Structure formats: structure tokens, C-alpha cells
Amino acid sequence: KQEVTQIPAALSVPEGENLVLNCSFTDSAIYNLQWFRQDPGKGLTSLLLIQSSQREQTSGRLNASLDKSSGRSTLYIAASQPGDSATYLCAVRPTGANSKLTFGKGITLSVRP
Amino acid sequence: SQTIHQWPATLVQPVGSPLSLECTVEGTSNPNLYWYRQAAGRGLQLLFYSVGIGQISSEVPQNLSASRPQDRQFILSSKKLLLSDSGFYLCAWSVSGGTLTGELFFGEGSRLTVL
């Protein structure tokens, strides 16, 4: 059974800092991995999707990497801003046409002005 | 572009009352549709998914049911709510293509409180 872990559960950083959010998973047989952002009381917003054949994906100040062999993905946020404050969740999809996403519990990020 | 709408945003219901949450997707055809529940301190739990009209798969046995009466409409229902049904319910969609492997897009969520 796939397990997805995100540690720490919460993180507070000063504005402008570059930061890395970690996601680890137990089964390396994955199809893809998706990073989401969730603001309080809101739905999830898709940030980046990495296919198993890819090593990284970039969108603006965000860069997500994938290392299947070690069961890890990282979300890099450059020059953090207070508006980046939110909960960031990663989700892993195992191989198989009808496989379902397994979500981590998320990292709550607070960027201090 | 594709959009997903979910309503109501907030709902307070007494125990034993019925429930109906609705979700519609615009700008795409034959999407895969999903209902998730997010409970405080816990991860997202997949409740139901649908690959087509009238096709519903249940992931977790519970007090809820789902229906897909139209291609882009997904409904979550209950005949009699329990206290344990309280939570944040999220509808989501992905491009079909015959599999469930596509990128997932979520609605804004519905907060249900059962008293």
C-alpha cells in the first residue's frame, strides 16, 4: 500500500527566502505525482504534475523534482512571498489505468512579511 | 477553458436529514468525476468516482451515495446524515482518455456540518 509523507507539517519562513518542501512515498512504481496548493477553507489548486518519466517540472517560481528510486519529490519555491502562505499537498498515483491518487497530509507554509 | 462549480459552499444539517451536493464541470466532455472528503487532521479520502453517465464506483462503504445523471454533473447524496458525515467535500475532474491517470482539478469545496 502506497504511503505518502510530508514533513514537517508546518513551516514558517521570512519573505524572500528560497524554500524546499519535501514529499516521500513508499512505493516507487508510480505513474505520476501532483503538487497542490490549498488556501484555508478552499479547494485544491493544481500546481505541477510530473510524469514518472520526467525529473522535474517548472511553473514560474515553482520547481518540482521527482526521484522515483529514492521515493522523493521536492517542491522548490523561489523568493517566497506572503501570498505563498497556504497548505501544500503532494499526491502520488501508482501505475495502472485505474489507479487512484494517494495524498500526503500537507505542509502548512507561512511566509512572514 | 474548463471550470468546475460546486454548491452549496456551506451547509448545516441536523442528524437524520437528507443531503444533496452538486458539482458541474464546464468546457470539457466525458470527464472523469470524483468526490473526496477531507476531515480535519486527516488526508483526502476518495469516496466515489465516475468514468461516465450512470457509472459510479464506490471506494469506501458508508452512508453516502453518488449519481451522475448527465455527462458533466456529479451529485453526492445521503438519505439520513450521521454526525460522522461532517467534513469538507471536494468534487474533482480529470480528462478521461479511458484511464484515471490524468491531472486532477478540484472545485471550491462544500463544508458540511451535521448537528
Side-chain angles (χ1 to χ4, degrees), chain B residues 49-67:
Chain B
Y49 67 92
S50 171
V51 299
I53 296 174
Q55 300 179 64
I56 308 296
S57 296
S58 174
E59 289 292 296
V60 181
Q62 56 206 332
N63 187 42
L64 302 170
S65 62
S67 62

Side-chain angles (χ1 to χ4, degrees), chain A residues 58-88:
Chain A
T58 298
S59 176
R61 294 183 293 110
L62 305 179
N63 177 277
S65 67
L66 174 64
D67 184 345
K68 286 193 305 179
S69 61
S70 66
R72 292 186 62 190
S73 176
T74 61
L75 179 66
Y76 175 82
I77 303 177
S80 59
Q81 304 169 359
D84 294 328
S85 299
T87 298
Y88 292 82

Side-chain angles (χ1 to χ4, degrees), chain A residues 42-74:
Chain A
K42 301 293 185 181
L44 279 68
T45 300
S46 178
L47 297 175
L48 291 163
L49 174 72
I50 309 179
Q51 303 293 347
S52 62
S53 58
Q54 298 175 318
R55 295 297 301 270
E56 65 178 51
Q57 281 280 16
T58 298
S59 176
R61 294 183 293 110
L62 305 179
N63 177 277
S65 67
L66 174 64
D67 184 345
K68 286 193 305 179
S69 61
S70 66
R72 292 186 62 190
S73 176
T74 61

Side-chain angles (χ1 to χ4, degrees), chain A residues 5-113:
Chain A
T5 304
Q6 294 184 256
I7 296 173
L11 185 64
S12 180
V13 301
E15 181 177 4
E17 188 166 302
N18 301 323
L19 57 99
V20 173
L21 305 181
N22 293 308
C23 171
S24 61
F25 46 94
T26 55
D27 189 344
S28 62
I30 68 170
Y31 188 89
N32 57 37
L33 183 147
Q34 196 167 352
W35 280 94
F36 296 89
R37 167 184 173 143
Q38 185 175 30
D39 293 295
K42 301 293 185 181
L44 279 68
T45 300
S46 178
L47 297 175
L48 291 163
L49 174 72
I50 309 179
Q51 303 293 347
S52 62
S53 58
Q54 298 175 318
R55 295 297 301 270
E56 65 178 51
Q57 281 280 16
T58 298
S59 176
R61 294 183 293 110
L62 305 179
N63 177 277
S65 67
L66 174 64
D67 184 345
K68 286 193 305 179
S69 61
S70 66
R72 292 186 62 190
S73 176
T74 61
L75 179 66
Y76 175 82
I77 303 177
S80 59
Q81 304 169 359
D84 294 328
S85 299
T87 298
Y88 292 82
L89 299 96
C90 72
V92 174
R93 186 185 304 283
T95 55
N98 291 327
S99 61
K100 318 302 187 308
L101 283 175
T102 298
F103 285 81
K105 293 185 178 181
I107 299 174
T108 299
L109 172 67
S110 174
V111 180
R112 307 186 301 271

